[in-house]
Amino acid sequence: MAEIAVNKPATEYRKGFQSGISIAIGYAPIALTFGLLAKTTGLSIGETALMSLLVFAGAAQYISLSLLSLGTGIFEIILTTFIVNIRHFLMSTSLNEKWEDDQIANKAILSFGITDETFSVAAVRDEKVTSGYMLGLISISYSSWVVCSGLGHLIGASLPQTLQESMSVALYAMFVGLLVPSMKKSAKVVFLAALAACFNIIFTLTNALSTGWAIVLATLLSAVIIELIENVKNKQRGQEHE
Amino acid sequence: MSSQMVWMIAGMALVTYIPRLLPFVLFKGKELPGIVQGVLKNVPYATLGALIFPGILFINEDIWFGLLGAGAAFIAAFLGANVIVVVLGSIAVLSVYSFLI
């Protein structure tokens, strides 16, 4: 009977894989375009595929292409990549609290696949996150990213203009689809998302910070401010009861 | 493959992997203070807010494109649609919109 209560790795893998389908759909147009741009920037198909295989970070890969075409040095490109991707530190720290696995090696290997999208899907999951679930989630997302990058270079064209434009909404729609169910359940979630959105809009429109830092700072400010407000409220409530 | 490009990709891979990996090593088996745990539990929802805005407004030169896509996604999600339905629904709405204009 105990077996029923414990989620088996195979089931968890399948659940993760299913949760990753919307990521795979969303990655397809972005990766196809990346492959195409990489070709026009002068990367070989091997280099294009290698970058998607080893880096697996959309924004940073796009930025590296535009820096390459500007003739920027390698060191500066690597440094920019680091700054753009430092936000994943925050995401991994948050996910670590929810991800149950005593084997650090599993987490260490799978952490390679933490992106904005895989993090978001895993982090809003109702149940605890397991390594089997992460493996399923990451494997479908990663496959879509790598295969479509290569295809974009190989075919040398992206999707038809209209479809390409419409599909650019995919990942944002996915974020909305992940966020709204929690917003319906809790006012705190509404405030957290709205405050972070406001901060990020301000940072972005004023060009105060680069995209990577803007997201990190907006997220942290919102998460800390709302937590402090809640703590104060809880204390006041506690005093009223005395 | 040019060796310079391979070095660049290897460097990018390393500096991308380190921030993803480090927290799992640094905070392994450590009980973080309650307030920090509270903040970390807030991070996913705050991240989603920051990932959606303002990015969704700039997916096209036509700002209505983003607004319409965001609206369609919010409505579908609010009505309880599955994430994939939200994604495909928004794509469908925008396909119709770009077909009409």
Side-chain angles (χ1 to χ4, degrees), chain A residues 188-241:
Chain A
K188 188 182 175 185
V189 171
V190 178
F191 289 122
L192 278 168
L195 194 60
C198 289
F199 279 127
N200 198 31
I201 288 173
I202 293 168
F203 296 153
T204 308
L205 295 186
T206 55
N207 277 325
L209 297 162
S210 67
T211 315
W213 285 111
I215 291 178
V216 170
L217 202 60
T219 302
L220 263 182
L221 278 173
S222 169
V224 170
I225 290 171
I226 300 286
E227 193 60 27
L228 291 177
I229 292 175
E230 209 195 19
N231 267 12
V232 172
K233 269 190 168 175
N234 284 345
K235 272 186 194 148
Q236 281 174 348
R237 244 181 249 148
Q239 281 164 355
E240 278 166 24
H241 284 294

Side-chain angles (χ1 to χ4, degrees), chain A residues 51-65:
Chain A
M51 194 192 279
S52 285
L53 268 171
L54 295 184
V55 183
F56 189 33
Q61 289 181 225
Y62 266 93
I63 292 169
S64 77
L65 291 184

Side-chain angles (χ1 to χ4, degrees), chain A residues 17 19-29 137 140-145 148 167 171 174:
Chain A
F17 196 88
S19 310
I21 292 173
S22 33
I23 301 180
I25 296 172
Y27 278 174
L137 182 66
I140 184 172
S141 312
Y142 184 57
S143 308
S144 167
W145 182 251
C148 292
M167 280 190 80
L171 290 177
M174 182 188 81

